Every structure is written in structure tokens, then in C-alpha cells.
Amino acid sequence: MRHLEKTVPELMAAISPAEWAQVPDSVLELIYELVGRMDRVEQEIAELRTENELLKEQLARTSANSS
């Protein structure tokens, strides 16, 4: 199974309402908490990648001008 190609909402939508009804509330709370945390981490990673690219560009410009 290759789950990495699907988004979390896609994976969760593949679970039937009957299956969700069997999941204890405490487990559902954990799932939603972890999904929220994952969303925040993915957003932070995207922001850090953008910042990293900007810093690389700045460094390249500074290095080119310093000689």
C-alpha cells in the first residue's frame, strides 16, 4: 500500500461512516489533534523552505559581489 501519494483528507474519506462509528471518541480526538499538528508542521516546513531559498539567493548575491 502506498499511502504517501494520498492526502490525509483522502485517506480519511476512504474510511466508511460505519468504520468511523466504531472508533472510540478518545481515539478520534487523538486523530484530529495529530492531523492538526501535521497541518501546522507542513505549513512551517513550507515557510522554512521559502526562507531557505531566499537566504540562498541572498548569499549567492553577496558572494558574487564580495570578490
Side-chain angles (χ1 to χ4, degrees):
M1 282 192 270
R2 300 232 14 189
H3 292 296
L4 297 178
E5 296 171 2
K6 293 183 180 180
T7 65
V8 170
E10 288 172 333
L11 292 168
M12 291 177 75
I15 299 170
S16 74
E19 290 172 313
W20 281 118
Q22 295 176 11
V23 179
D25 287 343
S26 60
V27 175
L28 287 175
E29 288 178 29
L30 176 62
I31 290 169
Y32 289 118
E33 174 66 27
L34 292 174
V35 168
R37 288 183 185 195
M38 191 169 65
D39 288 343
R40 290 189 297 277
V41 167
E42 287 175 348
Q43 178 63 39
E44 186 174 347
I45 288 170
E47 291 169 4
L48 289 169
R49 284 182 175 157
T50 300
E51 181 181 359
N52 188 38
E53 287 304 313
L54 293 172
L55 289 170
K56 284 180 182 179
E57 290 171 10
Q58 183 180 15
L59 181 60
R61 284 193 304 268
T62 303
S63 297
N65 296 338
S66 66
S67 24

